[in-house]
Amino acid sequence: MFILSQIHARILTHLLPLSTVSFLLSKVLSFSALSPLGNFAYARKVFSQIPNPGVFAYNTIIRGGSYTKTPSKEPFYFYKRMLTRAYPTPNTFTIAFVLKACSSIIALEEGQQVHACILRSGYTLSPYVQSSLVNFYAKCEEITLARKVFDEITERNLVSWSAMITGYARVGMVNETFSVFREMQGVGIEPDEVSLVGVISACAMAGALDIGKWIHTYINKRKLDIDLELNTALVNMYAKCGYIEKAKEIFDEMPVKDSKAWSSMIVGLAIHGLAQDALDMFTRMEEAKAKPNHVTFIGVLSACARGGLVSEGKRHWSRMLELGIEPSMEHYGCMVDLLCRGGLVDEAYNFALSTPSPNAVIWRTLLVGYKRNQMLQQAEMVAERLFELEPLNAENYIILSNLYATVSEWEKMSHVRKKMKEKGIKAVPGCTSIEIDGFVHEFVMGDWSHPEAEEIKRILKNVSARIHSTGYEPRVSSVLHYVDDEEKENSLFEHSERLAIAYGLLKTKAPAAIRIVKNLTVCEDCHEVTKIISRVYNREIIVRDRVRFHKFVNGTCSCNDHW
């Protein structure tokens, strides 16, 4: 920058024609705004000195604004300033750059103003502008608007297809992600790294291992370059689809590993309950001189929590502070969880109080700890704090209601339910998905709308008979309604994970593993039933709930009944 500033000074101090000054300053602007060695504050200063800046100068300053470490609405303001002048007129590059800037900070309103200008100016037929619009709406998670623009494109290029794929993946519309990916292949467009990362991320989200494996095979057959981001996506996908061995294999073969790759592997091991492996991986990371980040320590601390490694967790907390990583509420939550799981509930409470401005996540983690230890009085106290912070969050009421049901405090449980009804609060229904033949099927508790519902009921009846023959006694405390035991047992058999497992038994044969993904934590009774199913049907069942993985084999679970 020193040499550049000298050149800049010479341009300003020499008597040159205005056109020459504008041209030379535009070159200085380009370097300072777009180069990795540049400085956007300096670029802003250079721009202000250009007499009558042209479209190149405006495009440069708008584009450079989206490259800064802390993106802002400044590129949009330069665009508005450009519109107020008779010269220059924005071109398709201007539109694309300002939309990218808006998407980087999720500035939906500003981006829609740009869209309105596009409609007035007649740029709607430009594939470059259309692709930028799809990408903008997709990143703002306005997926309906993204799809509307996408459908209007007559000649879709790879950028627009990739934007639509990653957009669907971002909002969790898994089947739509796969559908667009197949459609893109059907019209003969070869996917690039961006679209592949998008569809692999969707596989990770849905636990769609078969599709993920197909994509991996496709990459290898096409001999596509697997860069760092694609490799990391594959590691993440295999880990979140329950195939941790393959995730480790890919990770170990990666020629280059950055902090994101190391963190993905550590988090993957942690959610599989492989606490010591996760800590060993962290040691390898430090030995490789890779710099841990906040995600790394979420993985490390959660591994310690699930492994009951209290002293290790405290040591890694100190290590995180030594590295200058400012703890987030997720880190504080991991420590509260660690202490609660280690039986140090009072220490967990004091730790929560020491947290700067403890939020609902901290108190909710503590509430779960009290529920786990059946500490009713303390739980009620923490629940009141949560109700003040989040008066409309169903989860807080459900946790307390669960505790009352567990200790048979039915009157108090009814009071909580009544309060929810008065406030119009509805519990998030249990939802479980399973991938069969490249399509993700979703099941909701008590919902029999699936086209093969009658066959699923038949399988469930068979499952019920076989598990009862083993001496199984339903854990009716898992049902949060004050009804008789028969109704409770019937309710248990309509839990979403049982519907998904039954569908897996219907559509697949041994030795294929049944893999399901649930949006909530698996209940105690379903956990016990799944262990029995794995034994009597001789099937490996892998369950990913909102907390971790459970691998059921021959009547046992990898979590050792501690989750």
Side-chain angles (χ1 to χ4, degrees):
M1 285 299 295
F2 176 72
I3 297 174
L4 186 71
S5 62
Q6 286 185 316
I7 296 171
H8 181 197
R10 287 179 69 85
I11 294 169
L12 295 177
T13 55
H14 280 61
L15 295 176
L16 299 169
L18 285 180
S19 60
T20 304
V21 172
S22 294
F23 174 77
L24 293 174
L25 287 180
S26 294
K27 295 300 181 183
V28 174
L29 171 68
S30 180
F31 182 88
S32 53
L34 304 178
S35 168
L37 301 175
N39 181 309
F40 189 72
Y42 192 85
R44 196 188 299 117
K45 179 182 177 182
V46 173
F47 181 84
S48 68
Q49 295 169 343
I50 300 176
N52 301 318
V55 68
F56 175 82
Y58 271 103
N59 286 354
T60 301
I61 198 72
I62 290 170
R63 186 183 181 191
S66 63
Y67 288 169
T68 59
K69 290 183 179 179
T70 54
S72 68
K73 293 182 180 180
E74 196 169 6
F76 176 74
Y77 297 139
F78 278 113
Y79 170 71
K80 286 188 71 176
R81 175 178 164 184
M82 189 179 184
L83 292 178
T84 61
R85 285 159 168 72
Y87 172 84
T89 302
N91 59 21
T92 55
F93 291 103
T94 316
I95 300 295
F97 294 152
V98 75
L99 283 172
K100 181 179 180 183
C102 290
S103 67
S104 67
I105 57 169
I106 318 300
L108 178 62
E109 183 180 343
E110 288 76 9
Q112 288 181 313
Q113 290 180 42
V114 177
H115 192 180
C117 290
I118 293 169
L119 295 172
R120 288 195 298 268
S121 63
Y123 285 130
T124 50
L125 296 179
S126 165
Y128 192 47
V129 170
Q130 289 173 319
S131 297
S132 298
L133 275 170
V134 173
N135 183 62
F136 161 70
Y137 281 122
K139 286 193 174 177
C140 290
E141 299 188 358
E142 292 288 340
I143 202 67
T144 303
L145 292 173
R147 183 72 204 209
K148 185 175 184 296
V149 176
F150 180 78
D151 288 341
E152 292 171 353
I153 302 175
T154 53
E155 295 183 13
R156 297 165 186 155
N157 57 22
L158 179 57
V159 175
S160 58
W161 283 103
S162 297
M164 203 65 242
I165 289 168
T166 55
Y168 275 133
R170 183 177 285 106
V171 298
M173 298 177 71
V174 178
N175 286 326
E176 289 80 359
T177 305
F178 301 149
S179 176
V180 173
F181 181 73
R182 294 187 189 104
E183 191 180 346
M184 180 180 74
Q185 288 183 296
V187 297
I189 293 184
E190 293 289 331
D192 64 352
E193 287 78 4
V194 175
S195 54
L196 288 169
V197 167
V199 75
I200 290 169
S201 298
C203 292
M205 192 179 301
L209 179 62
D210 289 344
I211 299 176
K213 287 166 74 173
W214 183 89
I215 296 294
H216 193 185
T217 302
Y218 173 88
I219 292 169
N220 291 332
K221 280 187 176 180
R222 295 278 179 167
K223 297 184 179 178
L224 301 176
D225 289 334
I226 305 182
D227 61 9
L228 180 58
E229 186 176 5
L230 193 51
N231 256 324
T232 302
L234 285 168
V235 168
N236 186 54
M237 182 273 293
Y238 278 114
K240 289 187 175 176
C241 288
Y243 196 174
I244 193 67
E245 299 82 7
K246 187 65 176 180
K248 287 167 70 176
E249 178 187 318
I250 294 171
F251 178 81
D252 288 337
E253 291 175 355
M254 288 174 65
V256 178
K257 303 177 181 73
D258 64 358
S259 297
K260 187 177 178 181
W262 284 101
S263 299
S264 293
M265 193 67 249
I266 290 168
V267 170
L269 292 166
I271 61 176
H272 277 267
L274 302 169
Q276 194 55 55
D277 288 351
L279 298 182
D280 291 343
M281 189 64 68
F282 177 70
T283 300
R284 283 178 57 190
M285 179 180 184
E286 292 208 300
E287 289 172 351
K289 307 298 181 186
K291 188 177 180 181
N293 57 29
H294 71 286
V295 177
T296 315
F297 279 99
I298 288 172
V300 168
L301 294 174
S302 61
C304 292
R306 292 189 178 93
L309 306 173
V310 176
S311 59
E312 282 284 293
K314 290 180 176 180
R315 183 172 67 82
H316 285 294
W317 175 268
S318 299
R319 177 64 180 144
M320 181 178 72
L321 299 180
E322 286 172 12
L323 291 171
I325 297 174
E326 186 176 348
S328 67
M329 284 301 158
E330 285 183 279
H331 295 117
Y332 285 112
C334 286
M335 283 301 291
V336 171
D337 186 37
L338 170 75
L339 296 169
C340 286
R341 287 176 183 272
L344 305 173
V345 187
D346 292 336
E347 188 177 342
Y349 178 74
N350 292 329
F351 186 88
L353 290 179
S354 71
T355 301
S357 303
N359 66 2
V361 174
I362 302 299
W363 294 117
R364 189 159 38 252
T365 305
L366 193 61
L367 179 60
V368 170
Y370 285 138
K371 172 184 172 291
R372 190 181 292 119
N373 290 278
Q374 295 189 12
M375 300 172 71
L376 188 58
Q377 185 176 352
Q378 295 91 330
E380 289 173 330
M381 176 186 66
V382 170
E384 285 305 315
R385 293 204 184 211
L386 274 170
F387 296 153
E388 290 173 10
L389 289 169
E390 295 180 335
L392 300 178
N393 188 337
E395 187 176 3
N396 304 325
Y397 295 88
I398 294 298
I399 296 169
L400 184 62
S401 180
N402 281 2
L403 175 55
Y404 286 144
T406 301
V407 296
S408 299
E409 289 278 0
W410 301 112
E411 188 174 336
K412 287 186 175 182
M413 191 203 80
S414 296
H415 177 70
V416 173
R417 293 282 170 163
K418 183 180 178 183
K419 187 184 291 187
M420 289 178 69
K421 188 173 182 180
E422 289 171 353
K423 292 178 179 285
I425 302 169
K426 293 184 178 180
V428 177
C431 178
T432 303
S433 63
I434 181 171
E435 177 206 5
I436 300 291
D437 296 330
F439 188 85
V440 178
H441 299 257
E442 290 189 344
F443 295 91
V444 177
M445 178 180 173
D447 181 4
W448 296 102
S449 61
H450 193 279
E452 296 177 88
E454 292 306 314
E455 286 298 298
I456 294 170
K457 287 180 181 179
R458 179 180 62 78
I459 295 293
L460 279 173
K461 187 175 180 180
N462 180 267
V463 168
S464 178
R466 292 185 66 172
I467 66 171
H468 275 92
S469 69
T470 67
Y472 155 76
E473 290 291 334
R475 304 188 181 193
V476 292
S477 61
S478 296
V479 179
L480 307 178
H481 302 287
Y482 192 28
V483 293
D484 62 45
D485 285 356
E486 184 178 352
E487 283 189 68
K488 287 183 179 181
E489 185 175 353
N490 291 336
S491 175
L492 286 170
F493 263 83
E494 293 190 354
H495 279 195
S496 63
E497 55 264 62
R498 305 207 191 178
L499 303 183
I501 290 171
Y503 194 60
L505 291 170
L506 173 67
K507 307 300 286 188
T508 67
K509 303 296 181 185
I514 296 172
R515 301 171 187 272
I516 64 174
V517 177
K518 186 176 182 184
N519 65 331
L520 304 175
T521 306
V522 63
C523 79
E524 187 179 4
D525 189 73
C526 285
H527 191 269
E528 186 63 26
V529 164
T530 308
K531 286 198 296 183
I532 298 171
I533 292 173
S534 73
R535 185 176 74 251
V536 298
Y537 284 86
N538 193 26
R539 298 296 295 271
E540 179 181 321
I541 303 172
I542 298 171
V543 180
R544 188 180 96 196
D545 68 11
R546 64 177 296 180
V547 177
R548 59 166 297 158
F549 273 92
H550 300 263
K551 186 174 183 178
F552 298 89
V553 180
N554 196 28
T556 63
C557 179
S558 58
C559 75
N560 295 317
D561 299 338
H562 178 73
W563 73 97

